[in-house]
Amino acid sequence: MNTFRKIVAVLMVLAMTFSLTACGDTSWIVKVDGETVPSGVYIYYQTAGYTAAGYELAATDQNYYYYMMYGMSYLDQKVGEKTVPEYMNDYALSMSKQYIVVEKLFDELGLELTEDDKKLIDTQVNSLWNNNGAQFEKIGVGKESVRKVTTSTLKEEKVFNAYYEVGGINGTTEDDIKAYLEDNYARVKFLTFNYADSADDAVDEARKNKALEDAQSYLDRIAAGEDINALIEEHTAEVAAANEADEEANVKPDLPELENDEAEDATEDSEAEQEVEAEEPVDPYAHENIIFKDAKSPSEKFVNYVFTEIKTGEVKLVQDDTNIYVVSKMDVLERTDIYDSNRESFLYALFDSDFTSLVNERLAGYNVEVNDNSVKRYKAENAVEKPAEE
């Protein structure tokens, strides 16, 4: 081979090598101590990151719940200082790293998946794939990646419980979990007496005094022993009647009189409806509201007052910028159904930050390699289903 041909051959090899290096292997996204996470898992977590971004946005503007509900895009928004795509990528990369940490912790703790666990995973994977398989394939997520994420979620739950459940490594107690419920949720019944249409309106003192007088009247009746449920229903009926009267036209259309047979049928129907209603069981928790301490409804002032000024068992007046309320606060722990239904959520709320710290501490001791080629190739925008054009 002459010198010229040798030079050409070397240049061709270099060009091919550069080309292969430039494209790189994009089948994986991250390696943690040599264990690889497939890119399909990363893309799946990007979609989860998009949903997480939506909830972050909705925390400050509830309109974003409608964005999520109706599939409206919010990719052009920002979560803090990050664009939504940046937030999605950071979320997905973090979850991909956590995926390996969970696998390692699961093995270290000697945990196992039961046959029931495996059946549950199969059911969940098949359901996800049947409902979203076409979209998953479109964005580059295979069924095996869906299975890996679903399995990891269950393993994470088992690892979490091994550390923080009652009797766990850093275990809690049932009393601690109940204390979280008691500190963060209130159980109330209340009546509302409106005195202003908007917080920006000038206060009509006469209207406000009338609302205060009516509220005090109901408070006195409750203090005298009258049933608060009956009073709530009475007040609700009064408000509805007043609103209806305001909306009615001055002249009502004449209604045709019923013939005798029709009148009798109507009476019989009404009596039958009353009999059916009488047979319905009484709701022991009628008119109750369970309020989270960071809630903003009915208003921030209302919620703050309930948690700071009213003791369990008390009935008091509460005032915000537009309403006066008669509020009865009850023992939230008496609602055992609330505790039983939400115990797992309370446990996570108590120890989620501890679990995140545990994962990050473990991760700091591992050798982590991020595949920049995959990060560049799999753009967050492509993981989001585009809204249908009108």
Side-chain angles (χ1 to χ4, degrees):
M1 182 181 292
N2 61 35
T3 303
F4 175 76
R5 291 177 64 186
K6 286 182 180 179
I7 293 173
V8 171
V10 170
L11 290 175
M12 288 179 65
V13 170
L14 288 173
M16 290 175 63
T17 303
F18 177 78
S19 177
L20 290 171
T21 304
C23 293
D25 178 8
T26 57
S27 65
W28 60 280
I29 186 68
V30 66
K31 291 180 181 178
V32 179
D33 266 15
E35 295 191 33
T36 303
V37 180
S39 292
V41 169
Y42 172 74
I43 299 170
Y44 185 103
Y45 284 137
Q46 281 179 319
T47 68
Y50 184 65
T51 302
Y55 281 113
E56 290 277 4
L57 292 167
T60 55
D61 184 347
Q62 293 190 353
N63 286 321
Y64 285 102
Y65 284 121
Y66 295 100
Y67 277 64
M68 291 189 286
M69 186 183 303
Y70 297 110
M72 300 166 61
S73 175
Y74 45 89
L75 279 169
D76 58 347
Q77 301 300 306
K78 296 185 75 172
V79 179
E81 297 300 315
K82 298 178 182 178
T83 65
V84 168
E86 288 171 343
Y87 179 96
M88 291 167 62
N89 286 340
D90 288 348
Y91 180 96
L93 194 56
S94 175
M95 289 301 297
S96 296
K97 294 174 183 177
Q98 179 173 310
Y99 172 95
I100 295 295
V101 177
V102 167
E103 290 287 322
K104 290 180 176 294
L105 287 172
F106 187 86
D107 291 339
E108 287 175 18
L109 293 168
L111 301 174
E112 295 181 351
L113 295 175
T114 66
E115 289 303 315
D116 286 341
D117 291 334
K118 294 173 183 177
K119 289 178 182 177
L120 177 61
I121 291 169
D122 286 340
T123 299
Q124 292 177 340
V125 170
N126 289 333
S127 177
L128 282 168
W129 196 256
N130 289 338
N131 292 324
N132 306 288
Q135 177 60 18
F136 279 140
E137 288 185 324
K138 182 178 178 181
I139 63 176
V141 177
K143 191 172 183 179
E144 185 57 30
S145 290
V146 175
R147 179 175 296 279
K148 286 180 181 295
V149 172
T150 305
T151 303
S152 179
T153 300
L154 186 54
K155 286 184 175 181
E156 179 185 325
E157 179 183 333
K158 288 180 175 290
V159 170
F160 182 93
N161 289 339
Y163 272 92
Y164 305 112
E165 254 292 7
V166 175
I169 297 169
N170 299 323
T172 186
T173 66
E174 294 294 343
D175 287 344
D176 285 341
I177 305 174
K178 289 177 180 177
Y180 176 86
L181 167 59
E182 198 169 25
D183 292 343
N184 289 276
Y185 293 86
R187 176 185 171 211
V188 299
K189 295 182 181 183
F190 61 90
L191 298 82
T192 305
F193 300 84
N194 179 255
Y195 68 85
D197 298 326
S198 167
D200 298 327
D201 292 346
V203 175
D204 181 335
E205 290 298 332
R207 181 179 173 186
K208 182 177 180 179
N209 289 336
K210 178 65 168 59
L212 182 59
E213 180 183 334
D214 291 344
Q216 185 64 51
S217 172
Y218 273 92
L219 179 64
D220 292 341
R221 291 171 67 184
I222 293 170
E226 290 194 51
D227 179 54
I228 189 171
N229 288 337
L231 294 179
I232 289 173
E233 290 164 8
E234 176 186 319
H235 177 59
T236 301
E238 288 177 353
V239 172
N243 290 339
E244 185 177 350
D246 289 341
E247 293 174 359
E248 284 181 347
N250 292 330
V251 179
K252 298 180 181 178
D254 292 331
L255 298 176
E257 293 184 2
L258 294 174
E259 298 294 335
N260 288 337
D261 290 344
E262 293 175 325
E264 290 175 3
D265 290 343
T267 301
E268 291 173 0
D269 290 343
S270 176
E271 291 174 351
E273 288 175 1
Q274 290 176 4
E275 290 177 4
V276 171
E277 290 176 0
E279 293 173 358
E280 292 180 356
V282 177
D283 181 3
Y285 308 125
H287 307 300
E288 287 191 6
N289 296 270
I290 308 300
I291 299 176
F292 183 53
K293 73 173 183 180
D294 291 336
K296 302 182 186 302
S297 179
S299 71
E300 288 188 62
K301 288 184 178 180
F302 174 97
V303 174
N304 181 64
Y305 197 93
V306 164
F307 278 91
T308 60
E309 302 296 332
I310 306 180
K311 297 178 181 178
T312 297
E314 287 186 330
V315 184
K316 283 189 173 183
L317 297 186
V318 173
Q319 179 181 327
D320 62 15
D321 295 327
T322 58
N323 300 293
I324 295 170
Y325 307 88
V326 178
V327 183
S328 172
K329 185 174 180 180
M330 297 157 288
D331 185 356
V332 72
L333 292 180
E334 287 182 358
R335 286 286 301 271
T336 56
D337 59 315
I338 294 174
Y339 181 75
D340 293 341
S341 299
N342 299 280
R343 182 185 178 282
E344 183 178 334
S345 297
F346 300 151
L347 184 64
Y348 268 92
L350 277 169
F351 294 105
D352 184 57
S353 60
D354 290 359
F355 182 70
T356 300
S357 296
L358 170 66
V359 170
N360 289 335
E361 287 171 9
R362 289 301 185 104
L363 193 60
Y366 297 147
N367 180 36
V368 179
E369 179 184 355
V370 176
N371 188 346
D372 291 332
N373 291 320
S374 293
V375 172
K376 293 174 182 177
R377 177 178 178 181
Y378 301 114
K379 299 185 182 301
E381 296 88 333
N382 296 333
V384 178
E385 185 173 7
K386 305 298 186 294
E389 295 183 3
E390 296 182 357

